Amino acid sequence: MLPFDPMYLLFAAPGLLLSLWASSRVRSAFDHYSQVPNQHGYSGAAAARQLLDDAGLRNVQIVETDGYLSDHYDPVQRRLALSRTVYHGRSLAAVGVATHEAGHALQHAAGYFPLWLRSALVPTVGIGSSLGYFVMAIGLFISPWLVIAGAALFSLVLLFQVVTLPVEFDASNRAKRLVVDAGIIEPREREGIDAVLNAAALTYVAAAVSTLSVLLYYLFRAGVFNSNSRD
């Protein structure tokens, strides 16, 4: 086990605090707008289905899945998996989350490049998060250059998270626009949809900041920012 370094907290604190705040905002917004029914009575599944059908994507399935806010789009299976609360819910929160996931299916159908790039990077994330972190940690006791090698691997995680940002923002923007254009919600109900999706977007920003903080900490400890301290 590596000894605890107080300096790590200095680097990690911004990302940690942002993550806690973002998670709190997501839960608060979702829980609040889960109690606000949409005027036209759409369930999350029905709202997503309409957006998909309007785009000619009738071959994309919508299925129910377990978990809290475990909603996602699977581009391999071409399937939207919606949590029970979102699938059956007739709230603004349910419609917002479901149509956001439908936004990913629309991206897929349109050949949206950042979505393709994110999918291509998925296999590298496990390598970067496990092997990269291990090499950086061991490198502190062996050689700064080993830390740099580990940081290069760990940067794959950061790259994935940075690419994820436009993917998530674009899916949300599509959902916000289309739910009104399709008549699923009234324009005045956009406030609830925006609150839920904007809060969710913050979690992706927080994840990238946290990863960057860890990366900077190890590079700092390796003396990368002070050329005189490297071997």
Side-chain angles (χ1 to χ4, degrees):
M1 174 180 282
L2 298 176
F4 173 72
D5 182 2
M7 185 62 72
Y8 181 82
L9 286 182
L10 183 62
F11 279 85
L16 176 61
L17 292 175
L18 182 58
S19 294
L20 292 174
W21 180 62
S23 296
S24 175
R25 279 200 60 184
V26 169
R27 184 174 292 274
S28 175
F30 185 80
D31 288 350
H32 174 73
Y33 285 102
S34 287
Q35 306 303 315
V36 181
N38 65 83
Q39 183 174 320
H40 296 299
Y42 276 83
S43 67
R49 184 75 269 162
Q50 178 163 333
L51 292 192
L52 295 174
D53 289 351
D54 288 350
L57 301 179
R58 292 178 175 80
N59 60 328
V60 176
Q61 291 182 299
I62 301 177
V63 298
E64 185 178 341
T65 189
D66 295 328
Y68 176 76
L69 292 181
S70 54
D71 314 270
H72 62 278
Y73 170 65
D74 183 344
V76 176
Q77 299 294 327
R78 296 184 66 82
R79 181 171 63 190
L80 258 65
L82 303 178
S83 58
R84 182 176 181 83
T85 303
V86 170
Y87 188 99
H88 297 284
R90 299 179 183 277
S91 66
L92 290 178
V95 168
V97 172
T99 53
H100 168 89
E101 298 305 332
H104 288 311
L106 298 177
Q107 291 173 334
H108 189 196
Y112 184 61
F113 178 72
L115 179 67
W116 174 87
L117 181 58
R118 184 176 73 167
S119 298
L121 288 171
V122 168
T124 70
V125 175
I127 297 172
S129 61
S130 56
L131 181 59
Y133 189 89
F134 176 77
V135 172
M136 285 193 301
I138 295 300
L140 291 180
F141 300 97
I142 299 176
S143 168
W145 298 108
L146 190 58
V147 175
I148 294 172
L153 290 172
F154 194 70
S155 293
L156 294 172
V157 179
L158 181 61
L159 177 61
F160 175 82
Q161 292 171 333
V162 170
V163 170
T164 291
L165 295 179
V167 173
E168 296 300 331
F169 293 159
D170 178 78
S172 289
N173 289 336
R174 289 172 190 254
K176 293 173 185 177
R177 181 182 73 254
L178 293 175
V179 288
V180 175
D181 292 347
I184 295 171
I185 65 168
E186 293 297 313
R188 64 178 178 275
E189 295 180 292
R190 265 282 305 268
E191 179 182 354
I193 301 289
D194 289 359
V196 171
L197 297 185
N198 290 345
L202 280 176
T203 62
Y204 297 100
V205 175
V209 170
S210 295
T211 299
L212 177 61
S213 298
V214 172
L215 189 62
L216 291 177
Y217 164 76
Y218 279 99
L219 291 176
F220 171 79
R221 277 304 186 198
V224 170
F225 306 123
N226 180 5
S227 60
N228 292 329
S229 67
R230 292 202 302 265
D231 292 338

